[in-house]
Amino acid sequence: MAVDYAVIIIYLAGMLAMGWWGMRRAKSKSEFLVAGRRLGPGMYSGTMAAIVLGGASTIGGVGLGYQYGLSGAWMVFTIGLGLLALSVFFSARIARLKVYTVSEMLDLRYGGRAGIISGVVMWAYTLMLAVTSTIAYATIFDVLFDLNRTIAIILGGAIVVAYSTLGGMWSITLTDMVQFVVKTIGVLLLLLPIAVIKAGGFSEMKAKLPTEYFDPLGIGGETIFTYVLIYTFGMLIGQDIWQRVFTARSDRVARIGGTVAGTYCLVYAIAGAVIGTAAKVMYPKLPSADSAFATIVKDELPIGVRGLVLAAALAAVMSTSSGALIACATVANNDIWSRLRGVVSRGGGGEEHDEVKGNRVFILIMGVAVILIAIALNDVVEALTVAYNLLVGGLLVPILGGLLWRRGTAAGALAAVSVGGLAVIGLMAAYGILANEPVYYGLLASLAVYVIVSLATKPTDAAVLAAWRERLAGRGAETGEPVDDDAVTRA
């Protein structure tokens, strides 16, 4: 294992070095939180794919393939569909807004009264996403070094917190680009073909496994629908995803680069399912489906290659963890703490250098909190389910409603967030956290309240809507250009 250890150690040292390099570039709030909004299509595509394809997509995706066969690809596939939908239909508008958080977008659209509650919901979602990603370090470091669970979480979490705190989004962007390359080589170019060959090829896999393993819908229609509702729609509204959209150099980069990343996710989904199916042929009686990835890597790959593939798994976890961490810290600082102090950011302006220090402190605080919660928490699936249920049930309707329906009002948005969030919490208590009903009924309640309250209250002030249309047209507070009606129509 000495060669494998060397590969991993070099990789981890490289992550820290990029954090140090990123610190030298992050000299303003914009540079620190959104990489100066300067990413081109190549880097944007790689980093966007890295953030959405985490440990759940890699280790969990292979596990679903082990359990259900090719239809196990649906979870990651719906993530790719969500990213495609975001990129094609919404990313250009989001990029033009020149904000830092989803709550700032809601403030701009509804007149400054919807942000605080949505900020708390988004903070809870990003916090739990960072926690569940951090817990995954225990699995990987256990395979690598046979480490105690707590030590593994502290080691992996400390590295992510270090490079994220040092350089902010610049460090995370650089590390994500490396992680994207490592994942592509490790999972798609090495593990996938080796797993299929070791299993005897597709003909042998079909001969040894039940036919339902090759049924595209074998996982079940209701499960697929739930994946679409949670993951596809979750991709449209998550702060961790939007913050990457804000890094795009232009709306064209956001649209094209995101489409490339979404297509990559679809390929990655199928690859994970095929690897899991091959593992089922080689190891038909594993105690846990989620151990399929580690088992096939540990037993079937040659020295050196094994280290690279494990580095790919580590890269998957780190990219999601760091993206969720900076999103969590950004929301905590800009949407909650600043509002409690009475200092409400209005988006594009205010690039003071001293704001970097404040955001850096919040990343450090949130990072320590994430590590401590990850050590104390055992049930990862339940924590992630709670996070996504609250996100979709509470925020999907007011966010998409604000983008698509001019008649939506601040009162309707606040009611939708409150009723949807409370309905999800109550239904999870009644039906169970892992049940499908909470997100179904919570989303319907949020939609009904949003429409009814919006129609029953006074329309949003014309000046607020005019400022909103200026932002959508790409002319914000920085330029002060007049509204162009044709541009607004195109937006």
Side-chain angles (χ1 to χ4, degrees):
M1 293 288 289
V3 175
D4 297 323
Y5 290 162
V7 171
I8 299 297
I9 291 171
I10 291 171
Y11 168 76
L12 294 176
M15 296 299 100
L16 291 174
M18 288 185 183
W20 182 262
W21 186 88
M23 182 178 67
R24 302 177 64 182
R25 296 202 62 166
K27 301 299 184 182
S28 70
K29 179 180 178 181
S30 176
E31 296 283 350
F32 191 81
L33 293 182
V34 291
R37 308 187 195 274
R38 289 193 283 155
L39 297 193
M43 187 166 283
Y44 179 87
S45 299
T47 58
M48 182 62 87
I51 179 67
V52 300
L53 295 174
S57 300
T58 303
I59 299 171
V62 171
L64 287 172
Y66 183 88
Q67 190 173 358
Y68 297 104
L70 298 185
S71 66
W74 273 107
M75 184 188 77
V76 183
F77 205 83
T78 55
I79 291 173
L81 292 177
L83 186 52
L84 284 171
L86 174 71
S87 302
V88 172
F89 299 112
F90 299 108
S91 63
R93 301 183 186 191
I94 294 170
R96 291 187 204 126
L97 290 175
K98 296 291 188 292
V99 295
Y100 293 105
T101 68
V102 174
S103 294
E104 286 182 25
M105 167 263 168
L106 291 173
D107 275 353
L108 283 169
R109 170 60 181 81
Y110 294 112
R113 292 189 293 156
I116 184 65
I117 297 177
S118 64
V120 172
V121 174
M122 189 64 76
W123 173 78
Y125 157 72
T126 52
L127 178 70
M128 296 315 300
L129 183 61
V131 167
T132 53
S133 300
T134 302
I135 291 174
Y137 296 128
T139 302
I140 299 171
F141 281 112
D142 178 58
V143 174
L144 286 172
F145 307 116
D146 194 25
L147 284 179
N148 171 271
R149 177 183 184 273
T150 299
I151 296 175
I153 289 173
I154 293 173
L155 176 59
I159 292 171
V160 169
V161 172
Y163 73 69
S164 301
T165 302
L166 286 172
M169 187 59 82
W170 268 121
S171 294
I172 292 171
T173 296
L174 293 170
T175 55
D176 278 358
M177 199 63 201
V178 174
Q179 288 158 357
F180 169 74
V181 173
V182 171
K183 277 193 289 193
T184 301
I185 296 173
V187 176
L188 297 185
L189 302 183
L190 293 176
L191 184 57
L192 175 61
I194 290 173
V196 172
I197 292 170
K198 292 281 187 178
F202 285 103
S203 58
E204 188 71 14
M205 290 162 62
K206 287 185 176 181
K208 290 186 176 180
L209 294 174
T211 55
E212 55 263 29
Y213 264 72
F214 301 92
D215 180 359
L217 304 178
I219 199 170
E222 184 178 355
T223 299
I224 295 171
F225 179 73
T226 302
Y227 284 160
V228 169
L229 203 58
I230 293 178
Y231 295 114
T232 301
F233 285 113
M235 287 294 107
L236 298 180
I237 59 175
Q239 170 67 25
D240 52 325
I241 309 302
W242 277 42
Q243 200 156 343
R244 294 310 173 95
V245 176
F246 300 152
T247 66
R249 185 171 60 207
S250 65
D251 53 8
R252 184 172 182 273
V253 168
R255 184 171 57 251
I256 295 175
T259 301
V260 172
T263 305
Y264 178 90
C265 291
L266 303 184
V267 175
Y268 200 88
I270 296 171
V274 171
I275 293 168
T277 305
K280 183 67 175 179
V281 173
M282 291 182 278
Y283 310 98
K285 295 183 179 181
L286 288 177
S288 168
D290 283 341
S291 65
F293 180 89
T295 302
I296 195 170
V297 169
K298 193 173 184 179
D299 294 348
E300 302 297 335
L301 298 186
I303 294 172
V305 173
R306 180 170 49 202
L308 184 58
V309 174
L310 286 172
L314 196 58
V317 176
M318 282 187 160
S319 56
T320 300
S321 181
S322 58
L325 176 59
I326 194 172
C328 177
T330 302
V331 171
N333 187 18
N334 292 268
D335 293 337
I336 300 176
W337 177 243
S338 293
R339 294 169 194 273
L340 292 176
R341 294 188 313 158
V343 182
V344 181
S345 171
R346 297 298 299 177
E351 302 295 330
E352 293 87 351
H353 289 215
D354 59 359
E355 291 191 64
V356 173
K357 181 179 178 181
N359 283 289
R360 186 172 279 139
V361 168
F362 265 87
I363 290 180
L364 181 60
I365 293 172
M366 291 297 108
V368 172
V370 163
I371 292 172
L372 293 176
I373 295 171
I375 292 171
L377 196 63
N378 288 319
D379 200 322
V380 181
V381 175
E382 289 194 357
L384 195 59
T385 301
V386 170
Y388 269 102
N389 282 353
L390 282 173
L391 177 70
V392 174
L395 291 180
L396 179 67
V397 169
I399 291 173
L400 293 189
L403 288 169
L404 299 174
W405 191 38
R406 189 175 299 182
R407 186 61 179 81
T409 66
L414 286 169
V417 174
S418 304
V419 171
L422 291 174
V424 164
I425 293 171
L427 290 166
M428 283 191 293
Y431 286 97
I433 290 177
L434 297 180
N436 294 326
E437 287 83 358
V439 71
Y440 293 168
Y441 300 140
L443 188 56
L444 288 174
S446 179
L447 177 61
V449 168
Y450 179 73
V451 173
I452 293 171
V453 174
S454 292
L455 292 176
T457 52
K458 185 180 178 180
T460 303
D461 186 85
V464 172
L465 287 178
W468 168 252
R469 288 194 293 270
E470 280 195 38
R471 286 295 187 94
L472 283 182
R475 292 180 301 277
E478 304 99 325
T479 62
E481 292 179 13
V483 177
D484 183 296
D485 289 335
D486 292 335
V488 171
T489 302
R490 289 195 298 272

